Structure formats: C-alpha cells, structure tokens
C-alpha cells in the first residue's frame, strides 16, 4: 500500500549526512561511519584544511625578518601565530612608514609593541621577502606570489 499524501507527494524520509551509512536493525536505526577508504577517496587530494596551508606559510617566516606586505609595504615581522580577533594564523608587521592600522594591539589585546599606525596584521600568505619595486628593478615580474617563493631562493 502506498503512503501518498492527498497532494500526491510522498512523505519525507530521513536524510543522513554524506559518509554515513544507515543500517536498519530490529530495535532501532543506527548510524555507522563509512569505511575510511571511501571517505578519503571522495575528498580532493590537493585540498588541505585552510589552517594547515596557513601554518606552512608561518613556518616560512621568522620574527625579525624583513618582509613586504602585498609586495609594496616594507616592514619587519614582530608576531606570528593565532590571534583572538580572527581564526587562523596571522603575521604582525611593524611597517617602515606610518600607513598601518594599529600599534600592535587589536581590541585591547597586545600582540607586539610599535608606534601608532605602524602596525598591521595580515595573513602570512600575503608576505614576500622582496618588494615589487625590487622585482621590477631586477627585470622580473612582480605578480608572482609568496607561495611560489621558497626559503632557499
């Protein structure tokens, strides 16, 4: 016998999350995780969690190192790590010019000390070891990202 509603639509069924297989037993319905090889096969091999990718960039830099933010704002790294204002890895930079946003503190939490408007926080992926002007002077393109730069080059 069919369980059609007067509208002609079937009653909704339970929908499980991807990667979970529902097994019916006499007592109840139990959720059993899918085998690990199936879950791993469904993920893209090149996709790493954002936090892991950011940690790779943090490992490339050291406090006190000379860097450029977005290729055009020179300064020195004064902080590397997690913050309270946003998730993930961040780099705190003391800029050469007073074009920053803070003095090393954000929302009352001090991460490093510098003069007002000389501090800026950015993702480590936005940092390079050479400025755009230096790249142009050397005859290379300034469009390459820090991701292509290795610590040995």
């Amino acid at each position: 016998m069919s369980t059609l509603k007067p509208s002609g639509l079937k009653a909704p069924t339970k929908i499980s999350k991807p990667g979970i297989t529902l097994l019916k037993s006499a007592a109840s319905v139990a959720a059993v995780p899918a085998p690990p090889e199936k879950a791993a096969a469904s993920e893209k091999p090149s996709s790493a969690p954002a936090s892991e990718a950011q940690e790779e960039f943090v490992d490339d830099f050291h406090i006190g190192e000379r860097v450029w933010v977005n290729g055009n704002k020179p300064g020195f790294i004064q902080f590397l790590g997690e913050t309270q204002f946003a998730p993930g890895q961040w780099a705190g930079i003391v800029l050469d010019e007073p074009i920053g946003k803070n003095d090393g503190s954000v929302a009352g939490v001090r991460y490093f000390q510098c003069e007002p408007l000389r501090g800026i926080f950015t993702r480590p992926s936005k940092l390079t070891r050479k400025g755009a002007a230096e790249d142009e002077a050397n005859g290379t393109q300034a469009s390459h990202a820090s991701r292509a730069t290795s610590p040995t080059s």
Side-chain angles (χ1 to χ4, degrees):
M1 188 167 160
S2 174
T3 59
L4 293 177
K5 290 185 176 182
S7 65
L9 299 175
K10 291 184 179 181
T13 60
K14 292 189 177 189
I15 299 173
S16 65
K17 293 181 181 178
I20 301 221
T21 308
L22 294 177
L23 300 175
K24 290 184 180 180
S25 65
S28 64
V29 176
V32 178
E37 60 273 359
K38 285 186 180 179
S42 66
E43 294 178 5
K44 296 179 184 177
S46 63
S47 66
S51 62
E52 283 182 20
Q54 290 172 3
E55 285 176 18
E56 289 175 17
F57 291 121
V58 169
D59 292 340
D60 287 347
F61 295 101
H62 305 285
I63 292 177
E65 189 172 4
R66 178 88 167 152
V67 293
W68 277 257
V69 180
N70 293 325
N72 62 1
K73 296 177 191 137
F76 290 92
I77 298 175
Q78 290 298 309
F79 173 85
L80 287 170
E82 295 185 2
T83 64
Q84 294 182 11
F85 60 81
Q89 298 294 316
W90 289 88
I93 312 297
V94 176
L95 298 171
D96 293 355
E97 301 292 326
I99 55 173
K101 294 185 175 183
N102 57 54
D103 63 353
S105 64
V106 177
V109 178
R110 175 140 326 267
Y111 297 96
F112 62 93
Q113 180 73 41
C114 69
E115 295 176 20
L117 298 178
R118 295 241 180 192
I120 190 169
F121 283 87
T122 186
R123 297 289 186 183
S125 60
K126 302 283 187 184
L127 301 177
T128 58
R129 288 184 173 84
K130 291 184 178 181
E134 286 182 19
D135 286 342
E136 290 170 4
N138 293 336
T140 59
Q141 293 181 350
S143 63
H144 66 275
S146 63
R147 297 172 198 200
T149 307
S150 70
T152 58
S153 61

